[in-house]
Amino acid sequence: MRKIKIMIATGCLAIAGLVSAGFIRSNKPVVNHGAEKGFAVVELFTSEGCSSCPPADELLARVQKENAGKPVYILAYHVDYWNRLGWKDSFSQADFSKRQSSYAHWLHLSGVYTPQAVINGQTEFVGSAQGTLRNAIRTNLEKAPKAQVNLTGLAVNNYKATLKYTTEGSGDNTALVLALVQKNATSVVKSGENGGRTLSHIQIVNKLQSIPLGNNKTGAATIVLPDNFFAQGYEVIGFVQNTQTGQIMAAARSAFPQVVIAGN
């Protein structure tokens, strides 16, 4: 575990995605889990510049396979504060470091570190701790969620995606957080603590977007897609989060549909 102290800041959230010709429409049902089943949102704060992080990334991949088909939502945030120490992580963003600092505030921590895992916004521990991670997932799958969220109508037109959302039971001081997730990638690290290694990643958060819910429990969101977007390589994960405590109350995912050429 590698610790780097940074100033605690409030979280910044934003999101994105693409398609060059024609449009995409989603006819697939969105995976959503209501009050009859629990869920686990697993957020990992990691970096290619940290020698302690590859074991956590590898553990995430194993956990994803073990929980295939279950309401387990994995999100890997590459923080940027390691970039000055020998290797710039191409997946890193300052917004993800700020989100980690928000968890330090919500969970009353003195600082941040990598690799750090947070489950449903309420429990944190070293991201490579296998037993702790699996137990936390199992415990949260047994808890009835406090809210519900549905994502529908995911469609892509040119360089933007749109979707509709509906939430129930979210209460006050909540936001719908939408994460555009790249399912996997491989990097050849040429310097820094992992210099000479080829690292594999899963569920890489590309961008985040936070939509305050307030009295508006339904609505639509627009996602600007990255230049390297392709439908099979990305998905959208959405979750309802209390903006004062960090607790995640519900989650759902939506797959991008196949391309439909305009006019067909």
Side-chain angles (χ1 to χ4, degrees):
M1 177 181 70
R2 301 300 301 276
K3 293 193 176 183
I4 294 182
K5 301 291 186 179
I6 64 173
M7 183 177 295
I8 295 176
T10 56
C12 291
L13 309 167
I15 188 171
L18 131 54
V19 163
S20 55
F23 58 90
I24 299 175
R25 297 186 185 278
S26 174
N27 295 315
K28 296 181 180 180
V30 173
V31 177
N32 178 70
H33 303 277
E36 77 285 355
K37 183 182 286 188
F39 69 95
V41 174
V42 180
E43 298 178 87
L44 176 70
F45 295 92
T46 184
S47 172
E48 291 183 343
C50 166
S51 61
S52 300
C53 288
D57 296 329
E58 294 165 3
L59 175 59
L60 273 194
R62 294 196 298 272
V63 166
Q64 183 182 49
K65 290 181 180 179
E66 293 167 2
N67 291 280
K70 296 180 182 180
V72 176
Y73 307 93
I74 295 176
L75 299 166
Y77 303 94
H78 289 238
V79 298
D80 71 339
Y81 51 81
W82 275 95
N83 290 352
R84 65 183 184 272
L85 300 175
W87 174 254
K88 184 176 181 179
D89 188 335
S90 63
F91 300 109
S92 65
Q93 294 186 30
D95 282 348
F96 304 154
S97 299
K98 292 176 182 176
R99 178 165 179 79
Q100 189 181 23
S101 292
S102 292
Y103 274 123
H105 171 72
W106 285 327
L107 300 177
H108 309 291
L109 306 176
S110 61
V112 299
Y113 62 92
T114 54
Q116 181 186 31
V118 181
I119 310 297
N120 285 359
Q122 293 292 280
T123 304
E124 70 86 26
F125 47 85
V126 177
S128 55
Q130 299 187 42
T132 305
L133 176 58
R134 289 188 173 97
N135 288 336
I137 291 172
R138 182 166 53 251
T139 297
N140 281 280
L141 287 177
E142 296 172 353
K143 294 180 180 179
K146 295 185 176 182
Q148 295 184 37
V149 58
N150 288 283
L151 306 177
T152 59
L154 181 63
V156 177
N157 188 357
N158 294 322
Y159 293 87
K160 294 181 179 180
T162 58
L163 60 78
K164 297 178 181 178
Y165 61 86
T166 302
T167 65
E168 295 181 13
S170 56
D172 298 329
N173 303 311
T174 56
L176 173 65
V177 182
L178 296 173
L180 179 68
V181 178
Q182 184 176 347
K183 294 180 181 179
N184 54 69
T186 301
S187 296
V188 177
V189 179
K190 297 181 179 180
S191 60
E193 292 191 0
N194 290 312
R197 299 186 63 177
T198 298
L199 302 180
S200 296
H201 309 298
I202 65 160
Q203 296 299 102
I204 309 156
V205 178
N206 181 275
K207 291 182 181 177
L208 287 173
Q209 179 172 317
S210 181
I211 304 170
L213 292 174
N215 295 323
N216 299 317
K217 305 304 183 183
T218 63
T222 299
I223 303 169
V224 179
L225 301 170
D227 291 342
N228 66 343
F229 173 84
F230 62 103
Q232 295 85 350
Y234 286 79
E235 68 176 352
V236 174
I237 292 177
F239 53 91
V240 176
Q241 185 164 38
N242 186 301
T243 56
Q244 292 189 336
T245 67
Q247 182 181 17
I248 295 176
M249 307 165 68
R253 63 161 46 90
S254 182
F256 280 94
Q258 300 297 309
V259 174
V260 179
I261 302 301
N264 287 0

